[in-house]
Amino acid sequence: MSGHTRLYRRNATYYHRAAIPADIKKTYPKIEETFSLGTKDYKEALRLVRVAAVEVDSRFDEHRSELKRANQTKHAELSLEQIKSVGKIYYSYLLEEGEEGRVEGFGDKDKRTVIIAEGQDPNQILKEVGIRKQSFEQSEEYSDQRLGDLKKDYARGKVDSFFMGEVDEVLSWADVNLPLLSESQSRKPLARELQRVTIQAHKAIAGRNQGEVVDTPTVQSIAPVAPPTQSQPLLSEVAAEWADEKARASWRPKTEKDHRTWMKNFMEVVGDKPLAEYTKADARAFKAMLLKLPANWVKQKELAGMKIARAAKKAAELEMQPMADLNVNKIIGFVLAFWNWAEANYDEAPANLFKGLKIKVKQSARDQRDPFTSEELKAIFSAPLYTGCKSVRFWKQEGDLVPKAAGIYWVPLIGLYTGARLGEIIQIYTSDIREQNGIWYFDINEHGEDKQLKTASSKRQIPIHAELIKAGLLDLHQQRKDEKQQRLFPDLQKGEDGYYSSPFSKYFKRFLEAAGVKRDKNAFHSFRHCFEDACRDNDISKEIMDALQGHTEGGMAGRYGSGFKLVKLADAMGRLSYGGLK
């Protein structure tokens, strides 16, 4: 028996270990609270684990409080009356705090000079240098000095960082309870009001220092905002309904995670309000935040552990490179998709807030990725992987092995001679290679739990090019059948995000770098552009090219018929070649 439910031992060292409570499990940043107590002594560990348990329980409670604050309705603006009411409460707090110091009494006069910076607690600073309490003279001197500095700043319209920081602190007080959007224009006026009443408070304290009787005013709490009625659902409720429906119908795990994450971030920035209360201003505030945020911000050490709005502000202060416009548009697309659905499903929903807010990117979709040049293709298919490498693991090093049983060997070749998407190729089943009237073809479909297609038109038949047959693809196919393998490339596994393409993309980037051909605008998708160019160079019509690549036919042609016959597609594939490439 450990003597404590959270104490356990591993390799002679004792650890604290606690499961995350069920009510916060989905939102807590850790799977469990496990850490070393730094001792092998049982009695010491028992003492330490009790202390640690209290600290961890405090973290759990703080997380619950954060969730509660995040779920509160945040205000876009405060009225002048609300700002004045907050100022009165802050003024009363300052005078009450000052009176408490007099009740406790002052310390003895100390001749040492102690410098107290703006915004610092005088008593705390004095304790750090060994002075138990401020003397009356020190308190009076600090108050007079602070009053002079405040009046200078106030006269010049300067609001320092101390008062800007006080805004959220004061708004969170129980008798205020007015959470404000991070982008609200009311922040500076409120900070200036806090600055103004602080000047008044220091004047009142100066009077008390002269023996005048200055009462601490009694002020009423600000009336709370009425909760939404049942007919006005909160955004969090509707967003959860939307995500559950989409996940059930079509979303893959990564798609679901991306949409849920960015809707949560949207609510964190603009608040969780009744659906009808959102306006275009909320969408603009979210976009403004995105434009400050760097790519992969959660992995940036300078922003570690920060909430998204604070991270964006910090990134701007540090002049960090913001994410690309394409990424901003992608994120806006996640949230825009919700508002499209909400508009169609809820009478309370406003017209799509994000309509027209995507950044106009000057590049065309084609310009975002380049095809490989002829010289790059030669370098790719002259790499040790295709001419002889040491092993599948050491594919960069020259050797005697041409790994024709490995997925990394075949996937680029199939990409070159089909124009298929990376995920479509890796997920091919052995049964998806078929023969009809002497024509071997890939049957691109989503018949399987681990398969997915980008669009309905992605379902298609692609004749297998003679070069792939010559290279031994049908031999591999027979080998997989003999091995009773379901997938043609069982050695290529899914990533943590549920996509086969993710780990291969990372590998292929390293491959291109090793081949000396990596550029900013080339990637595996460049094979798709190569295929399109080869179709044009070999007089293959756009309609046939679209059918082979899984593009939707435009106009009425896309609504009727079953597409091109396999023999027609095979005839076109027989004409496709890459000049000078072996």
Side-chain angles (χ1 to χ4, degrees), residues 533-552:
D533 288 344
C535 285
R536 296 185 187 96
D537 293 343
N538 291 280
D539 297 323
I540 297 172
S541 69
K542 181 182 184 303
E543 291 75 16
I544 294 287
M545 179 178 72
D546 287 345
L548 292 170
Q549 289 198 293
H551 289 154
T552 305

Side-chain angles (χ1 to χ4, degrees), residues 292 313-322:
K292 300 174 185 174
K313 182 179 179 181
K314 185 69 173 178
E317 291 172 355
L318 296 175
E319 298 183 350
M320 298 175 71
Q321 178 69 34

Side-chain angles (χ1 to χ4, degrees), residues 434-441 463-464 566-568 570:
R434 303 177 182 178
E435 184 267 337
Q436 179 180 314
N437 298 326
I439 301 173
W440 286 92
Y441 65 95
I464 299 177
L566 184 62
V567 65
K568 186 80 170 176

Side-chain angles (χ1 to χ4, degrees), residues 506-530:
K506 294 177 182 177
Y507 149 76
F508 195 66
K509 179 183 178 182
R510 298 195 302 271
F511 177 88
L512 294 180
E513 290 170 346
V517 298
K518 184 71 185 87
R519 295 180 282 111
D520 288 340
K521 292 176 66 176
N522 66 13
F524 189 89
H525 199 76
S526 298
F527 284 126
R528 199 161 163 84
H529 291 295
C530 288

Side-chain angles (χ1 to χ4, degrees), residues 128-390:
E128 290 176 1
V129 297
I131 300 175
R132 189 175 63 86
K133 286 183 180 181
Q134 279 184 296
S135 67
F136 176 81
E137 290 78 10
Q138 288 169 329
S139 175
E140 185 177 35
E141 181 182 355
Y142 168 76
S143 183
D144 291 344
Q145 179 185 340
R146 179 69 171 139
L147 178 59
D149 293 338
L150 286 168
K151 290 171 71 174
K152 287 179 183 177
D153 286 347
Y154 191 76
R156 291 164 175 75
K158 178 184 175 183
V159 180
D160 61 34
S161 58
F162 170 76
F163 288 110
M164 293 301 293
E166 283 285 86
V167 167
D168 283 322
E169 170 66 24
V170 176
L171 292 177
S172 70
W173 291 353
D175 51 356
V176 178
N177 194 24
L178 287 174
L180 197 60
L181 294 179
S182 60
E183 304 293 330
S184 174
Q185 297 299 310
S186 295
R187 287 183 171 275
K188 189 169 182 180
L190 178 55
R192 184 164 168 81
E193 176 65 11
L194 299 182
Q195 183 185 39
R196 185 184 72 82
V197 299
T198 302
I199 291 174
Q200 291 182 332
H202 276 284
K203 288 181 178 179
I205 290 170
R208 286 176 174 176
N209 289 340
Q210 298 301 316
E212 295 178 12
V213 177
V214 180
D215 293 330
T216 299
T218 301
V219 293
Q220 293 182 341
S221 300
I222 298 175
V225 178
T229 63
Q230 291 297 319
S231 61
Q232 295 180 317
L234 289 173
L235 175 59
S236 57
E237 299 167 349
V238 180
E241 179 188 347
W242 161 72
D244 290 343
E245 178 184 309
K246 291 294 184 179
R248 178 179 179 180
S250 58
W251 281 352
R252 293 284 174 169
K254 183 178 184 300
T255 307
E256 179 184 358
K257 180 182 178 183
D258 288 341
H259 282 80
R260 287 187 188 272
T261 296
W262 284 107
M263 278 305 299
K264 179 183 176 183
N265 287 334
F266 174 71
M267 284 183 275
E268 187 176 311
V269 173
V270 302
D272 184 15
K273 302 180 286 189
L275 205 60
E277 292 185 12
Y278 289 90
T279 66
K280 202 81 172 179
D282 294 313
R284 289 198 305 271
F286 186 65
K287 178 182 176 180
M289 183 276 304
L290 292 178
L291 292 173
K292 300 174 185 174
L293 207 62
N296 295 316
W297 66 278
V298 293
K299 297 180 180 179
Q300 304 285 347
K301 62 181 181 180
E302 298 91 339
L303 311 177
M306 293 184 183
K307 297 290 187 180
I308 189 168
R310 184 183 170 199
K313 182 179 179 181
K314 185 69 173 178
E317 291 172 355
L318 296 175
E319 298 183 350
M320 298 175 71
Q321 178 69 34
M323 71 175 77
D325 290 349
L326 288 173
N327 284 343
V328 172
N329 284 347
K330 182 179 180 180
I331 293 167
I332 288 176
F334 291 141
V335 185
L336 184 149
F338 163 77
W339 287 105
N340 276 336
W341 180 90
E343 187 177 352
N345 286 270
Y346 278 83
D347 294 335
E348 299 91 342
N352 198 318
L353 311 178
F354 285 89
K355 185 178 180 180
L357 283 192
K358 284 190 175 182
I359 300 169
K360 288 181 170 53
V361 180
K362 295 181 181 179
Q363 287 181 316
S364 67
R366 178 175 176 78
D367 290 337
Q368 291 166 19
R369 290 291 183 202
D370 281 345
F372 292 116
T373 66
S374 296
E375 292 304 314
E376 287 171 345
L377 287 176
K378 290 177 183 178
I380 288 170
F381 294 107
S382 297
L385 182 65
Y386 294 99
T387 59
C389 60
K390 186 175 180 180

